């Protein structure tokens, strides 16, 4: 074998490895971004249901201003979240505020029987399921991406091209508990 052919063969293999690895890192990074956008869509859908739910409950519980203010603040924080960490914190705050709102609704039998309230509750429940599925999809993609940029020899290429580890969307201890809403 000619040493020149061996050198070109090794360089060619190296170039192909860099090309394939770089493209796979880009693909994984884009999957993470797309998965995050799905969480964002579901959180915004959830947030858009909140004003309708609050207005429905307000009609029955006019003197419970603090509960409504907490829900509104939490919703605003969720809409203003810029990254998974902020979104998770705002989501926790909103979940707590919604628990208070649903606990308040327990005191009003006419509200619990309202078709509008039942429909909003079902939509919110459906959205919660979609948020959970989106979070799982996001975290799976984050795990794949983070693993890819941390294993040798990919870590070298990832460092050269500025690929950074991405944060998981973590559930709090409160979110891990089963939520029971009875009307």
């Amino acid at each position: 074998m000619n040493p020149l052919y061996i050198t070109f063969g090794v360089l060619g293999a190296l170039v192909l490895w860099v090309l394939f690895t770089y493209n796979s890192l880009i693909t994984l990074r884009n999957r993470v971004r797309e998965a995050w956008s799905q969480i964002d869509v579901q959180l915004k859908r959830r947030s858009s249901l909140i004003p309708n739910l609050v207005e429905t409950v307000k009609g029955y519980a006019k003197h419970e201003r603090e509960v409504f203010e907490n829900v509104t603040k939490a919703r605003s924080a969720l809409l203003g979240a810029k990254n998974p960490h902020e979104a998770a914190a705002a989501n926790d705050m909103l979940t707590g505020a919604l628990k208070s709102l649903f606990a308040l609704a327990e005191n009003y039998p006419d509200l619990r029987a309202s078709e509008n309230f039942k429909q909003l509750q079902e939509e919110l429940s459906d959205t919660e399921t979609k948020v959970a599925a989106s979070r799982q999809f996001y975290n799976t993609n984050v795990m794949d991406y983070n693993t890819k940029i941390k294993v040798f020899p990919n870590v070298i290429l990832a460092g050269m091209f500025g690929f950074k580890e991405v944060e998981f969307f973590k559930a709090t201890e409160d979110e891990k508990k089963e939520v029971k809403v009875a009307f």
Side-chain angles (χ1 to χ4, degrees), residues 1-18 20:
M1 281 259 142
N2 186 343
L4 189 60
Y5 290 140
I6 294 172
T7 304
F8 281 130
V10 170
L11 285 176
L14 184 61
V15 167
L16 286 175
W17 171 79
V18 168
F20 287 125

Side-chain angles (χ1 to χ4, degrees), residues 43-44 46-47 73-81 87 90-91 94:
L43 291 176
K44 285 182 177 150
R46 179 184 187 210
S47 293
K73 284 179 197 172
R75 179 178 177 266
S76 295
L78 185 60
L79 290 173
N91 187 51
L94 185 57

Side-chain angles (χ1 to χ4, degrees), residues 14-170:
L14 184 61
V15 167
L16 286 175
W17 171 79
V18 168
L19 230 140
F20 287 125
T21 302
Y22 180 81
N23 287 341
S24 68
L25 290 173
I26 292 293
T27 299
L28 287 172
R29 185 174 63 190
N30 287 340
R31 284 184 186 158
V32 167
R33 289 176 178 168
E34 189 270 336
W36 173 249
S37 73
Q38 291 302 317
I39 290 176
D40 199 41
V41 164
Q42 295 307 324
L43 291 176
K44 285 182 177 150
R45 180 175 186 258
R46 179 184 187 210
S47 293
S48 70
L49 291 171
I50 304 300
N52 295 330
L53 187 63
V54 168
E55 288 304 315
T56 301
V57 176
K58 267 186 184 177
Y60 290 87
K62 294 180 169 86
H63 60 284
E64 305 285 353
R65 201 175 94 217
E66 183 181 341
V67 172
F68 302 128
E69 287 175 358
N70 289 341
V71 170
T72 302
K73 284 179 197 172
R75 179 178 177 266
S76 295
L78 185 60
L79 290 173
K82 304 270 188 267
N83 58 50
H85 180 70
E86 288 178 14
N91 187 51
D92 295 344
M93 190 167 54
L94 185 57
T95 298
L98 286 175
K99 284 180 186 176
S100 298
L101 185 67
F102 285 128
L104 172 68
E106 296 259 340
N107 298 328
Y108 298 91
D110 291 341
L111 172 61
R112 291 193 320 251
S114 161
E115 281 303 314
N116 190 27
F117 185 72
K118 285 180 184 177
Q119 182 183 3
L120 287 168
Q121 180 188 6
E122 286 172 14
E123 285 184 42
L124 193 59
S125 177
D126 179 54
T127 301
E128 293 297 334
T129 301
K130 289 177 180 175
V131 167
S134 295
R135 286 171 67 161
Q136 183 178 3
F137 181 69
Y138 172 79
N139 283 338
T140 298
N141 281 293
V142 167
M143 182 190 66
D144 291 345
Y145 172 77
N146 286 346
T147 301
K148 183 86 171 186
I149 66 169
K150 292 294 182 184
V151 297
F152 184 81
N154 297 352
V155 68
I156 297 166
L157 191 64
M160 287 172 46
F161 288 106
F163 289 92
K164 304 276 188 232
E165 194 169 358
V166 177
E167 183 178 340
F168 287 96
F169 196 115
K170 297 176 188 163

